[in-house]
């Protein structure tokens, strides 16, 4: 069997720099069909940046990202749209269109990209909302439902076109434990039943170990560790152990100084703020 | 500036070329935007135009009475409204009301990741968000201008009929006689050009927002200031071309 044909995502030597700072440094990994890969790592380690490169909304400084065997880094907007129809993306905030109802949000990809009749679309919307436990919410506006509900509507929308590949940015943050279990089970059902591939960015260790077939831990711009959930659980790497057990003491630096933090967030240094801090240190 | 030109080229593609490749624009969103941008602005436009008509007639009466030329008041109201005050003032209202609303709406969508979500769903934000607003503005600003012209002339009539010695027929005849079709057309051409400027500047300001709620506020202000300046400069240029160069 040709191993490459099974690769849904191939990331090769991906480098992304913001100014002088290298956020992603020669990251390489593959995702095979049917896998659920969880990408984890501390805040600001480049998880979201990596995700944005995989969906084609950021262009790398160098390196290659291939989705379904096609290189997306050099693609024009129109070619990219063709690839984007094959995957769904759940944003951290849900990213629902605030001016449209829940039902219209879920129907949006169907209306734009299929020739289905309004009745068929209504049927699909109902089914997708039922899958995420939101039957009967079609006519509410996004600002009338809770954050967790928005996220689930976002998931229903991401699944509207029955994608082969699902990207989720923190799918379970802000959900209660029961809803987390529901979303996890849904992910498992989809990946097992329909051979959907999932790439999940998450902090939630319980949920990650429940759904992952493989885990990748990012840190210092590179991959710190990767393997099956068991391998990660038994990893000798102290950073991994600290992260999965959520301990305050360990090799991962805790309190970044302000300079380091700004460096981290790739914002321009703010001389006035620094001056104010110096002033307070002197006087305070 | 690069973003702005790119947006214009993109728009031209979606309006002139895409319909012939089977991607015709959807009518529903255009009508929804026509209501938001145009229909809801009618009370403000009416009030402004009426006040301007009244003011013009009073100023004209004041100056022309000393020359004994009161009979030319309708001419002055009519020509000023059709050529200048109508298109310009109604554009000002629409910039303040609808242009800023468009910039704020698109800006909020940008900062709440909605635009990125559209892109990831393979929905082009220019096609989905900008085209309906653009077409709605291109129809509604000239329509509002015609409506405003009528109301302004009504304002002039109110002054002439109730404060001066005009009768209604005299006012209407005089006003119609003074104006040429070109006076109306030049105003309409202006308002079409203004519509283009206003909506592209507002959409561009909204789509290029960065930095959260503060960014949205700044973009809204920028859109109003830029649209006003662009519109007034363009008005001077067009007046020069229409009434001076020829």
């Amino acid at each position: 069997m040709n191993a490459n044909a099974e690769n849904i995502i191939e990331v090769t030597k991906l480098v992304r720099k913001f100014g002088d700072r290298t956020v992603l440094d020669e990251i390489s990994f593959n995702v095979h069909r049917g896998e659920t890969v969880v990408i984890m790592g501390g805040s600001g380690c480049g998880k979201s940046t990596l995700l944005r490169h995989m969906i084609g909304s950021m262009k790398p400084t160098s390196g290659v990202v291939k989705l379904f065997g096609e290189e997306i880094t050099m693609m024009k907007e129109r070619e990219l749209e063709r690839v984007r129809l094959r995957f769904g993306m759940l944003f951290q905030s849900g990213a629902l269109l605030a001016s449209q109802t829940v039902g219209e949000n879920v129907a949006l990809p169907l209306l734009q990209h299929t020739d289905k009749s309004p009745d068929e679309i209504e049927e699909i919307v109902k089914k997708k909302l039922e899958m995420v436990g939101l039957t009967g919410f079609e006519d509410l506006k996004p600002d009338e439902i809770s954050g967790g509900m928005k996220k689930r509507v976002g998931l229903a929308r991401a699944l509207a076109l029955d994608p082969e590949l699902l990207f989720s940015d923190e799918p379970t943050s802000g959900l209660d434990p029961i809803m987390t279990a529901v979303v996890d089970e849904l992910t498992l059902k989809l990946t097992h039943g329909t051979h959907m591939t999932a790439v999940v960015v998450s902090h939630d260790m319980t949920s990650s170990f429940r759904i992952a077939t493989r885990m990748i831990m990012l840190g210092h711009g590179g991959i710190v560790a990767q393997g099956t959930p068991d391998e990660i659980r038994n990893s000798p790497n102290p950073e991994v152990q600290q992260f999965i057990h959520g301990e305050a003491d360990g090799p991962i630096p805790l309190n970044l100084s302000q300079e380091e933090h700004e460096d981290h967030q790739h914002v321009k240094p703010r001389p006035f703020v620094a001056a104010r801090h110096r002033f307070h240190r002197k006087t305070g | 500036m690069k973003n702005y030109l790119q947006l214009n080229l993109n728009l031209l593609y979606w309006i002139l070329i895409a319909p012939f490749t089977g991607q015709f624009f959807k009518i529903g969103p255009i009508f929804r935007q026509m209501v938001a941008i145009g229909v809801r602005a009618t009370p403000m436009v009416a009030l402004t135009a009426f006040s301007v008509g009244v003011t013009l007639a009073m100023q004209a009466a004041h100056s022309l009475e000393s020359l004994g030329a009161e009979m030319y008041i309708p001419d002055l109201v009519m020509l000023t409204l059709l050529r200048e005050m109508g298109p310009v003032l109604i554009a000002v209202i629409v910039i303040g009301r609808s242009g800023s609303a468009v910039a704020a709406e698109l800006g909020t969508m940008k900062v709440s990741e909605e635009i990125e979500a559209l892109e990831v769903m393979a929905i082009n934000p220019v096609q989905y968000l900008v085209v309906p607003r653009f077409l709605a503005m291109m129809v509604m600003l000239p329509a509002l201008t015609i409506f405003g012209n009528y109301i302004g002339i009504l304002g002039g009539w109110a002054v002439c009929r109730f404060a001066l010695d005009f009768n209604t027929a005299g006012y209407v005849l005089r006003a119609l006689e003074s104006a040429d079709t070109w006076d109306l057309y030049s105003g309409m051409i202006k308002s079409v050009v203004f519509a283009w400027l206003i909506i592209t500047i507002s959409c561009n300001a909204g789509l290029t927002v960065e930095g959260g709620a503060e960014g949205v506020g700044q973009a809204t202000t920028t859109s109003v200031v830029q649209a006003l300046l662009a519109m007034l400069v363009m008005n001077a240029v067009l007046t020069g071309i229409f009434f001076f160069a020829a």
Side-chain angles (χ1 to χ4, degrees):
Chain A
M1 188 180 68
N2 181 0
N4 277 336
E6 280 294 291
N7 282 343
I8 297 278
I9 305 176
E10 288 173 50
V11 177
T12 319
K13 293 197 169 172
L14 184 70
V15 178
R16 175 62 198 227
K17 292 180 177 160
F18 289 101
D20 291 339
R21 195 186 142 72
T22 310
V23 177
L24 301 174
D25 191 8
E26 299 220 345
I27 287 189
S28 303
F29 65 91
N30 295 330
V31 177
H32 312 297
R33 185 176 291 279
E35 272 192 312
T36 303
V37 174
V38 172
I39 299 174
M40 52 187 195
S43 302
C45 72
K47 295 188 304 272
S48 295
T49 311
L50 178 60
L51 195 62
R52 291 209 147 74
H53 281 93
M54 288 194 277
I55 60 174
S57 60
M58 276 186 178
K59 301 283 177 209
T61 310
S62 71
V64 174
V65 179
K66 281 188 184 173
L67 288 188
F68 312 107
E70 292 183 86
E71 190 181 335
I72 61 161
T73 34
M74 293 303 177
M75 269 187 184
K76 290 207 189 80
E77 198 60 30
R78 222 139 291 154
E79 296 171 80
L80 199 53
E81 281 180 7
R82 189 170 42 78
V83 177
R84 279 172 165 168
L85 288 178
R86 297 176 65 183
F87 68 77
M89 162 93 189
L90 166 60
F91 284 83
Q92 199 171 349
S93 59
L96 303 180
L97 300 185
S99 58
Q100 301 189 357
T101 65
V102 165
E104 286 169 340
N105 263 292
V106 180
L108 185 61
L110 296 160
L111 283 170
Q112 290 287 321
H113 299 304
T114 65
D115 297 324
K116 291 190 163 63
S117 71
D119 288 342
E120 284 174 295
I121 290 180
E122 201 177 323
E123 197 57 37
I124 297 173
V125 169
K126 210 174 257 175
K127 218 169 65 195
K128 300 291 173 191
L129 282 175
E130 195 189 320
M131 267 169 45
V132 296
L134 288 172
T135 313
F137 282 72
E138 284 91 336
D139 295 327
L140 293 178
K141 284 282 179 77
D143 54 5
E144 294 169 317
I145 59 177
S146 77
M149 287 176 180
K150 277 184 209 167
K151 198 165 274 188
R152 284 185 278 153
V153 176
L155 182 60
R157 186 176 70 180
L159 297 172
L161 291 175
D162 297 315
E164 299 163 57
L165 170 62
L166 175 72
F167 291 103
S168 318
D169 195 355
E170 315 236 352
T172 56
S173 72
L175 296 188
D176 65 55
I178 297 167
M179 239 28 255
T180 304
V182 169
V183 169
D184 289 346
E185 242 157 63
L186 181 62
T187 315
L188 283 174
K189 202 174 86 192
L190 288 167
T191 46
H192 289 164
T194 61
H195 296 287
M196 191 182 76
T197 312
V199 174
V200 180
V201 165
S202 183
H203 284 135
D204 183 344
M205 285 300 113
T206 328
S207 150
S208 299
F209 279 112
R210 200 151 45 194
I211 59 173
T213 56
R214 200 147 57 89
M215 302 173 103
I216 295 176
M217 182 165 162
L218 292 186
H220 330 294
I223 293 173
V224 175
Q226 62 172 318
T228 63
D230 280 333
E231 283 167 2
I232 292 288
R233 212 176 271 131
N234 303 321
S235 165
N237 189 328
E239 277 188 43
V240 175
Q241 287 303 324
Q242 187 198 348
F243 192 81
I244 63 176
H245 292 116
E247 286 155 356
D249 293 325
I252 300 173
L254 230 204
N255 291 319
L256 298 169
S257 72
Q258 193 193 349
E259 285 77 26
E260 262 180 288
H261 174 74
E262 281 180 349
D263 216 25
H264 236 79
Q265 300 292 320
H266 12 275
V267 294
K268 288 175 215 130
R270 291 175 298 175
F272 293 113
V273 175
R276 199 166 66 220
H277 278 260
R278 276 199 298 278
F279 175 76
H280 282 296
R281 264 202 298 277
K282 265 183 214 155
T283 55
Chain B
M1 200 62 200
K2 194 180 143 230
N3 282 331
Y4 180 69
L5 293 177
Q6 213 162 12
L7 177 70
N8 274 294
L9 288 178
N10 245 327
L11 249 178
L12 286 176
Y13 169 81
W14 285 109
I15 287 164
L16 299 178
I17 300 171
F20 299 101
T21 62
Q23 292 170 288
F24 202 76
F25 17 85
K26 294 200 166 67
I27 301 299
I30 301 175
F31 275 100
R32 221 167 299 142
Q33 289 304 325
M34 279 166 74
V35 172
I37 288 175
V39 177
R40 301 225 169 101
T42 43
M44 271 177 85
V45 165
L47 188 60
T48 315
F50 190 81
S51 315
V52 169
V54 168
T55 318
L56 279 174
M58 292 191 295
Q59 286 287 9
H62 182 78
S63 311
L64 293 177
E65 242 172 6
S66 57
L67 302 170
E70 294 102 324
M71 64 173 299
Y72 292 109
I73 298 173
D75 304 46
L76 204 138
V77 172
M78 186 82 176
L79 288 183
T80 320
L81 271 171
L82 289 186
R83 287 182 181 179
E84 290 296 333
M85 292 312 245
V88 169
L89 275 170
I90 286 149
V92 169
I93 299 285
V94 169
I95 288 170
R97 202 198 147 278
S98 312
S100 61
V102 166
E105 190 190 358
L106 294 188
T108 310
M109 293 182 77
K110 174 84 191 292
V111 298
S112 59
E113 290 183 320
E114 287 175 36
I115 305 254
E116 196 184 349
L118 284 176
E119 278 173 351
V120 174
M121 284 189 280
I123 298 170
N124 189 301
V126 173
Q127 179 200 14
Y128 187 74
L129 296 171
V130 181
V131 166
R133 285 169 175 75
F134 176 82
L135 291 174
M137 183 67 97
M138 295 302 277
V139 174
M140 288 319 276
L141 186 59
L144 283 173
T145 306
I146 292 176
F147 170 72
N149 286 342
Y150 271 110
I151 302 285
I153 290 159
L154 190 72
W157 165 83
V159 172
C160 290
R161 171 74 182 72
F162 298 113
L164 305 166
D165 297 334
F166 276 84
N167 60 26
T168 304
Y171 178 82
V172 171
L173 283 177
R174 190 68 230 171
L176 286 179
E177 208 173 290
S178 66
D180 195 344
T181 43
W182 174 241
D183 294 319
L184 176 68
Y185 293 158
S186 70
M188 287 299 105
I189 295 170
K190 278 184 183 179
S191 79
V192 168
V193 175
F194 295 166
W196 183 301
L197 285 173
I198 294 168
I199 198 66
T200 50
I201 288 174
S202 306
C203 286
N204 184 52
L207 291 176
T208 52
V209 163
E210 262 165 35
E214 195 188 341
V216 175
Q218 273 171 6
T220 313
T221 314
T222 316
S223 81
V224 171
V225 173
Q226 286 181 348
L228 269 178
L229 288 176
M231 187 272 288
L232 291 172
V233 170
M234 186 53 86
N235 183 48
V237 171
L238 289 179
T239 306
I241 294 173
F242 293 158
F243 299 100
F244 229 66

